[in-house]
Amino acid sequence: MRSRYPPPDDPAALHAALNDTLVFVSSDGEAARVFVHHHNVLDAATRTGVGHVVLLSGLDADVTSPFCYAYTNGHTERLLRASGLPYPIARRPLHRVPRRPDTGRCGTPTSSATTCGS
């Protein structure tokens, strides 16, 4: 398997880069943009005839969730199921920033993180 990272905003580049197996890891950013990226990736995979898609999704994937990652992961899973492509979906928890033991706030003693994962 070859690794390629075409820009998800460029459907032609996606189409050219895909081969038999696609390991699909979610893009990041505003939900509307993520939807476009994921649609473009799956559309290119369908048109290219990718033989197998492995989707890395989230444990809480749900299109009815108010949580942006759960919502976008749920939407992507729906797109993949509707695509007709063969697939497994691997669900994983979000990576979390630890809470500082000295303050209870997010981050390590040397970081300045201000938000934590849920």
Side-chain angles (χ1 to χ4, degrees):
M1 181 177 356
R2 295 173 290 162
S3 295
R4 296 183 184 188
Y5 304 96
D9 289 326
D10 185 347
L14 287 167
H15 181 77
L18 295 176
N19 55 30
D20 187 56
T21 300
L22 168 64
V23 177
F24 185 11
V25 179
S26 178
S27 63
D28 193 18
E30 176 189 339
R33 187 168 183 196
V34 170
F35 290 153
V36 171
H37 291 173
H38 293 186
H39 176 269
N40 288 348
V41 169
L42 292 173
D43 182 62
T46 301
R47 289 186 296 112
T48 304
V50 166
H52 196 82
V53 176
V54 179
L55 175 64
L56 182 59
S57 188
L59 288 175
D60 57 352
D62 181 355
V63 296
T64 64
S65 175
F67 180 53
C68 65
Y69 294 117
Y71 180 74
T72 56
N73 282 326
H75 178 73
T76 302
E77 287 185 14
R78 275 191 178 174
L79 287 174
L80 180 56
R81 286 185 182 102
S83 73
L85 294 165
Y87 65 88
I89 296 173
R91 289 187 169 173
R92 53 56 178 130
L94 287 176
H95 297 286
R96 293 174 47 156
V97 176
R99 293 193 181 272
R100 292 176 53 165
D102 57 334
T103 65
R105 298 183 71 195
C106 297
T108 62
T110 59
S111 79
S112 60
T114 57
T115 60
C116 292
S118 55

